[in-house]
Amino acid sequence: MDITAPLPNVTRTDTEPCCFSLQIEVPAEQVKKAYGQALAKVAAKVRLPGFRPGKVPTAILVKQYGKEIEAETQELLINDSFKTALGQQKDKLALQAQLDHDSISAINQDAPFTYVVKCEAEPEFTLPEYKGVKLTRAAISVTDENVEEYLGNLLDSRARLQQVERPAELGDFLKVSYNATLPEDFEVGKNGEYLVKAENSWLGLREPELLPGTMQKLVGAEVGAEVSLDVTFPEDFREADFAGKTFPYVITVLEIQAAVRPELDDELAKSCHAENVEDLKKRVRDMIHTQKTKEREEELRNTLIEAIMAQVDFPLPPTIVEYNRENVIREIVRTQQRNGVSEEKIREGIKESMDRAEQIARQRTRFRYVIDAIADAEGIKVENEELSQQVSTMAMMSRSSLKKTVREMTQSGQLMQMADSIRSTKTIDRLMELADITEE
């Protein structure tokens, strides 16, 4: 703004926490000056027969290009006064101020020009006490049972199916034919046809069950047995046509196969890159210890964050919360879809999902402000080398050039998110260094 020009008159109205509006009034003399500038700018562009460029009479310009001149004047006035008005405020904006287009006054060279901008400010809060947070680091214990459980799972993963001549047991796989008796008016969608009838199909006597409730009913059945039973499908069953309904079934057992574990011997140990069984057990014990240590440290970091966040409660910019809420809702829906939840069930639970997303979004938003404030207080920054290393890793994973990856991540906002994540991790690392940790 011209330093000789009078400052705009600014009236602030606090509408809600973190939100305010500014009514900005530009004096009439500035309106007249801006109108003259707009008129000259439009005149330089206009080409009319019979007139040299820039020599079109003002009356003709105003008559034919009045709206364009007024729009240009408004733009000049807003651009000239907007930053000055915001500069008078102490607040740090959470996002770009929004011009209320309905509030823009008409151009009158003899009257002030007014308009309103709506703003959301970052919250002001007292930094929580983050130094010397008391924590307890639990001792790590790896029992023989932990090792045996892991080895048992390893043997299960290498088990091979083998036909057996005995009654069916839990964990077996049965080759069966089955048929359901359905009401005449019951219509089955294409996706649900496999639940009605099958020939020479495999049915596992283990979770998750193909036909709910059949596992226990088939234990003890022998080859050739015909088992009659009622199958009740749960209310949240993946195939909506069958959800909450009960139908009679006849299942014929054709073959029984059992998973036979290999022996835990030195040969198996060597296939796991160990020298022998004892060496394998030691490696498993060390691996479990490492995993438990990682889980303990993650839990300790979460406890630290909870202790710090419990000290603060402050209002948040609503648009930032809404943006984070939409992201959380998308995360919830994607997780439900991956878990096989039907679209109908997702829609039915959307109210609960939205309430949960609101709570999570507020927690995330508040955490971001607190962790950034602590990072500022501790002088924590993200070095170029740190960011470059992670971007290079992303480029390798996507089999893309570094230049292309940087461009795409910058355009999508991922680069900024990555920098924020690195800074948060470094800040929590620093908080752990500052914590008062008692070792058990």
Side-chain angles (χ1 to χ4, degrees):
M1 173 172 279
D2 184 351
I3 60 173
T4 63
L7 293 174
N9 180 32
V10 181
T11 302
R12 172 175 173 140
T13 303
D14 291 311
T15 53
E16 60 179 296
C18 294
C19 298
F20 62 92
S21 65
L22 300 176
Q23 182 176 17
I24 302 170
E25 181 182 279
V26 183
E29 61 184 276
Q30 287 299 109
V31 177
K32 184 173 292 187
K33 180 180 178 181
Y35 188 88
Q37 293 172 344
L39 184 63
K41 186 175 180 180
V42 172
K45 296 187 297 183
V46 168
R47 299 290 183 268
L48 288 179
F51 299 98
R52 287 181 296 165
K55 299 299 182 179
V56 179
T58 298
I60 295 177
L61 285 173
V62 172
K63 182 177 181 180
Q64 295 193 26
Y65 298 96
K67 289 185 177 180
E68 184 177 342
I69 296 169
E70 287 195 7
E72 184 68 33
T73 304
Q74 290 175 337
E75 185 175 347
L76 286 171
L77 290 170
I78 291 172
N79 289 342
D80 203 29
S81 60
F82 183 60
K83 288 184 179 179
T84 302
L86 287 178
Q88 296 175 10
Q89 310 304 311
K90 299 183 300 180
D91 311 82
K92 182 179 179 181
L93 295 188
L95 41 77
Q96 187 174 359
Q98 299 297 308
L99 176 64
D100 182 356
H101 292 276
D102 293 335
S103 70
I104 300 175
S105 66
I107 295 297
N108 182 342
Q109 297 185 65
D110 298 319
F113 171 73
T114 62
Y115 64 96
V116 173
V117 291
K118 297 179 180 180
C119 308
E120 291 187 30
E122 292 191 355
E124 295 183 357
F125 58 92
T126 302
L127 199 63
E129 182 54 59
Y130 62 86
K131 298 180 180 179
V133 176
K134 295 186 180 300
L135 300 171
T136 300
R137 179 179 277 123
I140 298 295
S141 173
V142 181
T143 65
D144 291 342
E145 288 74 16
N146 295 145
V147 176
E148 292 302 320
E149 181 182 1
Y150 181 91
L151 291 173
N153 291 334
L154 173 64
L155 295 177
D156 284 341
S157 70
R158 298 197 174 196
R160 295 292 180 265
L161 289 176
Q162 180 177 311
Q163 186 172 346
V164 294
E165 301 296 333
R166 59 162 173 76
E169 298 177 358
L170 286 177
D172 289 346
F173 282 86
L174 311 186
K175 180 186 284 188
V176 299
S177 294
Y178 59 82
N179 186 52
T181 302
L182 307 180
E184 292 182 2
D185 59 348
F186 187 80
E187 296 184 3
V188 180
K190 187 173 183 62
N191 290 339
E193 291 178 354
Y194 73 98
L195 294 169
V196 179
K197 183 178 181 180
E199 299 289 339
N200 299 315
S201 179
W202 288 99
L203 204 63
L205 301 190
R206 57 181 66 186
E207 298 288 352
E209 292 182 286
L210 176 68
L211 299 174
T214 57
M215 186 165 59
Q216 293 295 337
K217 298 287 182 66
L218 291 172
V219 169
E222 298 183 351
V223 173
E226 286 191 357
V227 180
S228 299
L229 69 161
D230 289 335
V231 174
T232 299
F233 296 89
E235 295 290 343
D236 59 349
F237 192 66
R238 58 187 177 276
E239 300 297 342
D241 293 341
F242 288 78
K245 297 180 173 61
T246 300
F247 302 114
Y249 275 75
V250 175
I251 302 176
T252 303
V253 180
L254 306 175
E255 184 180 320
I256 301 173
Q257 292 203 1
V260 179
R261 282 179 166 189
E263 290 292 328
L264 179 59
D265 53 21
D266 290 347
E267 183 179 349
L268 185 141
K270 289 177 181 178
S271 72
C272 298
H273 309 290
E275 295 181 4
N276 50 44
V277 172
E278 288 307 312
D279 183 41
L280 177 60
K281 289 182 177 180
K282 180 181 181 304
R283 288 170 182 253
V284 168
R285 187 178 294 275
D286 291 344
M287 184 195 65
I288 295 174
H289 190 279
T290 300
Q291 181 62 32
K292 283 192 172 186
T293 301
K294 181 180 178 181
E295 292 171 355
R296 179 194 62 186
E297 292 306 300
E298 187 65 28
E299 184 177 347
L300 207 58
R301 290 165 77 91
N302 290 337
T303 302
L304 171 67
I305 293 169
E306 289 173 2
I308 292 173
M309 295 305 297
Q311 302 177 49
V312 294
D313 184 19
F314 49 83
L316 300 167
T319 301
I320 302 295
V321 173
E322 175 63 18
Y323 172 78
N324 288 332
R325 187 177 73 95
E326 292 298 322
N327 285 337
V328 174
I329 289 175
R330 282 192 286 270
E331 291 173 14
I332 292 173
V333 170
R334 281 196 295 266
T335 299
Q336 291 175 330
Q337 289 172 336
R338 284 196 301 267
N339 292 337
V341 180
S342 68
E343 294 298 323
E344 182 180 357
K345 292 296 180 183
I346 292 176
R347 286 193 296 271
E348 288 176 0
I350 195 64
K351 174 64 168 64
E352 181 182 345
S353 296
M354 291 178 69
D355 291 343
R356 186 153 55 97
E358 175 77 17
Q359 182 181 6
I360 295 172
R362 289 188 171 279
Q363 290 172 346
R364 289 184 181 178
T365 306
R366 191 170 284 114
F367 169 77
R368 172 53 53 199
Y369 283 120
V370 171
I371 209 71
D372 282 348
I374 294 174
D376 291 341
E378 291 293 317
I380 296 173
K381 299 178 181 179
V382 177
E383 304 297 336
N384 288 335
E385 294 79 9
E386 296 172 315
L387 195 56
S388 296
Q389 185 176 0
Q390 291 209 16
V391 173
S392 297
T393 301
M394 290 283 290
M396 290 177 60
M397 291 175 61
S398 61
R399 298 182 179 180
S400 179
S401 69
L402 182 60
K403 184 177 181 180
K404 181 181 178 183
T405 301
V406 170
R407 183 176 68 251
E408 292 176 346
M409 292 183 68
T410 301
Q411 292 173 346
S412 66
Q414 283 182 289
L415 196 64
M416 183 177 294
Q417 292 174 2
M418 180 178 285
D420 288 342
S421 178
I422 294 172
R423 193 174 191 231
S424 292
T425 299
K426 292 178 68 174
T427 303
I428 298 172
D429 289 342
R430 177 59 179 156
L431 290 172
M432 289 293 290
E433 294 173 0
L434 296 171
D436 181 5
I437 303 178
T438 301
E439 305 283 349
E440 280 190 348

